[in-house]
Amino acid sequence: MTSEELQTIIAAGLPCEYLEVSGDGSHWFAIVVSSAFEGLTRIQRHHRGYAAVGNRIQTGEVHALSMKTHTPVEWAALKAQ
């Protein structure tokens, strides 16, 4: 799997205002900015991200996925720093 493919998978399962995926083919890192995260805890946000990836983690197609999850307001504040 490529980073572009994983990015497409995440974007198909979660509305993203910004999405960046990097990795080495099995270990992945994603920055996900979504209004769907409004009012959710960090754990709930990660669950939404993992749900977008579906069973690809269980099948081993995606070995590991680390995410930083932000709402659009949080992301704008980070970018302004």
Side-chain angles (χ1 to χ4, degrees):
M1 177 175 301
T2 67
S3 58
E4 291 82 12
E5 290 170 326
L6 184 54
Q7 186 165 330
T8 299
I9 291 165
I10 294 170
L14 185 65
C16 300
E17 281 78 6
Y18 178 81
L19 176 59
E20 180 182 324
V21 176
S22 59
D24 63 8
S26 64
H27 294 85
W28 299 99
F29 175 77
I31 299 172
V32 185
V33 179
S34 176
S35 57
F37 296 146
E38 296 285 346
L40 299 181
T41 66
R42 193 166 126 193
I43 298 291
Q44 291 169 324
R45 293 175 184 196
H46 281 91
H47 284 222
R48 292 285 309 266
Y50 291 131
V53 175
N55 69 344
R56 289 171 177 87
I57 293 174
Q58 287 83 11
T59 64
E61 188 176 0
V62 174
H63 176 70
L65 174 62
S66 297
M67 289 182 283
K68 292 209 182 235
T69 56
H70 306 284
T71 66
V73 171
E74 293 167 345
W75 183 245
L78 283 172
K79 298 301 277 181
Q81 292 180 356

